[in-house]
Amino acid sequence: MYTPEYRMRRLRANSNIRSLIRETHLSVDDFILPYFVVPGRGVRNAIKSMPGHFQLSIDELIKDAREAMKLGIKAVILFGIPESKDPLGSDAVSDEGIISRALRALKDALPGLYVITDVCFCEYTDHGHCGLLHGEDVENDGTLAMLQDQVRVHARNGADMVAPSGMMDGMVGAIRQALDEEGYSQLPIMSYAVKYASGFYGPFRDAAESAPQFGDRNSYQMDPANGDEAMREAAIDIQEGADIIMVKPAMPYLDILYRVKQEFGMPTAAYQVSGEFAMIKAAAANGWLEHDRVMMESLIAIKRAGADLILTYFAREAALKLGQDR
Ligand code: PBG
């Protein structure tokens, strides 16, 4: 009979010893909850492909966020769906735009909530691309000026942090400059530094009504095949002044998340995107996966790979579960 020299199972024998040696711990402090804000009052449109998520009018957003805070959630990120869209996405740069109004109302009603804004134009343009069009392509440097206008508006309406997601070259530097010039040198930037051209954004584009009307985002978002390029994207954004670096999506890109955290040691965020959420929801609804178990496993895996912050549509359910399991 062969007797093993090393017995790893000793420390797996029961839940007490397992919890004593556990390396990674999830906390509600890790989570950022995404919201989709629409005009109107009393609006709560269910997003079919994202069970439990809604397009919310500002009054409903406040109610919902108040409940989320009771679960311990401290931070949210806002995506706006404007009344009307145009080629320049003008709602995004107006003090009466959907995000401006949501910011003022949220900060007024829930001053203890940390409110992050997504900085991008795809939800506001009628063509659904992330900035200024030149022919069929997004014009980089013209878009930078628009992003500067957008962050000025977010800052003066009360955003606690801005998160540029459009993958324009120079976006972090341009935004940092605009904020500093306006006296917001203390306002942090979380850059979607490493954002892939991913099919996993499908449900989000329904929720945010932001699908491109022609073409795709391959000329600005990253090729899923590339890893070294992610290091260059992150390095450039750090140099331009990003305070937090994001990798997106999360689960299919844990290798990238790991490399970014190891290489730069920056506060690192991961976005568990709409498609990752929808896959788990759909499988669980069919009885093919255990919902809570897989939800928690996916989040702990993201944290273990190197995420300090996790943007996740599971924020509320995971917070609830963490509270129950304590
Ligand atoms: C762009 C943006 C997108 C997401 C976050 N910010 C969509 C895109 O690039 O098309 C996707 C998030 C998700 O899928 O949950 N404003």
Side-chain angles (χ1 to χ4, degrees), residues 147-225:
L147 292 170
Q148 290 181 314
D149 288 340
Q150 193 178 21
V151 291
R152 285 187 194 106
V153 168
H154 289 185
R156 70 171 170 262
N157 285 288
D160 292 301
M161 184 191 282
V162 293
S165 66
M167 292 297 282
M168 294 300 120
D169 289 325
M171 68 180 185
V172 173
I175 285 171
R176 187 70 271 159
Q177 182 194 54
L179 291 173
D180 289 355
E181 281 171 4
E182 302 274 308
Y184 297 105
S185 56
Q186 290 301 314
L187 200 91
I189 299 172
M190 173 164 67
S191 178
Y192 289 66
V194 181
K195 178 173 176 182
Y196 286 91
S198 172
F200 288 98
Y201 308 149
F204 174 96
R205 290 179 187 174
D206 294 335
E209 300 173 15
S210 64
Q213 296 305 299
F214 58 85
D216 52 41
R217 304 212 200 290
N218 294 342
S219 76
Y220 38 106
Q221 299 179 347
M222 279 184 58
D223 182 336

Side-chain angles (χ1 to χ4, degrees), residues 32-46:
I32 298 170
L33 172 60
Y35 275 120
F36 301 98
V37 198
V38 291
R41 283 193 70 80
V43 182
R44 217 177 150 76
N45 294 333

Side-chain angles (χ1 to χ4, degrees), residues 13-292:
N14 60 53
S15 66
N16 287 347
I17 184 61
R18 286 196 294 271
S19 67
L20 280 166
I21 64 148
R22 187 159 297 133
E23 297 173 28
T24 309
H25 296 271
L26 270 181
S27 153
V28 63
D29 295 343
D30 305 329
F31 301 149
I32 298 170
L33 172 60
Y35 275 120
F36 301 98
V37 198
V38 291
R41 283 193 70 80
V43 182
R44 217 177 150 76
N45 294 333
I47 301 162
K48 254 178 47 195
S49 51
M50 300 173 69
H53 283 269
F54 303 83
Q55 294 178 330
L56 299 172
S57 54
I58 293 170
D59 54 327
E60 293 290 326
L61 167 68
I62 289 169
K63 282 191 225 163
D64 208 278
R66 185 176 287 125
E67 292 309 307
M69 286 177 82
K70 288 184 189 153
L71 296 169
I73 289 168
K74 294 163 192 70
V76 299
I77 183 164
L78 301 184
F79 298 94
I81 297 129
E83 191 96 54
S84 65
K85 306 191 186 215
D86 56 36
L88 293 177
S90 50
D91 189 274
V93 294
S94 159
D95 285 311
E96 290 314 309
I98 184 70
I99 287 296
S100 298
R101 287 187 288 121
L103 277 170
R104 293 196 299 269
L106 254 191
K107 292 307 291 182
D108 185 49
L110 305 171
L113 186 67
Y114 196 85
V115 184
I116 306 167
T117 53
D118 185 75
V119 175
C120 190
F121 278 86
C122 61
E123 296 119 64
Y124 306 95
T125 53
D126 52 10
H127 45 75
H129 280 285
C130 296
L132 183 68
L133 276 192
H134 183 76
E136 300 244 307
D137 200 18
V138 177
E139 206 270 295
N140 195 85
D141 300 4
T143 302
L144 295 182
M146 291 162 62
L147 292 170
Q148 290 181 314
D149 288 340
Q150 193 178 21
V151 291
R152 285 187 194 106
V153 168
H154 289 185
R156 70 171 170 262
N157 285 288
D160 292 301
M161 184 191 282
V162 293
S165 66
M167 292 297 282
M168 294 300 120
D169 289 325
M171 68 180 185
V172 173
I175 285 171
R176 187 70 271 159
Q177 182 194 54
L179 291 173
D180 289 355
E181 281 171 4
E182 302 274 308
Y184 297 105
S185 56
Q186 290 301 314
L187 200 91
I189 299 172
M190 173 164 67
S191 178
Y192 289 66
V194 181
K195 178 173 176 182
Y196 286 91
S198 172
F200 288 98
Y201 308 149
F204 174 96
R205 290 179 187 174
D206 294 335
E209 300 173 15
S210 64
Q213 296 305 299
F214 58 85
D216 52 41
R217 304 212 200 290
N218 294 342
S219 76
Y220 38 106
Q221 299 179 347
M222 279 184 58
D223 182 336
N226 295 351
D228 293 340
E229 187 186 334
M231 299 304 112
R232 296 194 57 218
E233 278 284 3
I236 291 167
D237 282 15
I238 293 164
Q239 194 150 30
E240 289 180 11
D243 300 283
I244 299 174
I245 292 296
M246 191 198 297
V247 174
K248 175 186 174 187
M251 272 225 296
Y253 298 88
L254 292 183
D255 57 330
I256 305 300
L257 178 59
Y258 180 79
R259 285 177 68 182
V260 165
K261 183 63 184 178
Q262 295 294 313
E263 173 89 11
F264 301 106
M266 290 284 290
T268 305
Y271 200 142
Q272 183 180 47
V273 301
S274 56
E276 299 177 70
F277 174 79
M279 280 196 305
I280 293 174
K281 285 286 176 193
N286 277 292
W288 297 338
L289 289 176
E290 283 175 59
H291 181 275
D292 284 7

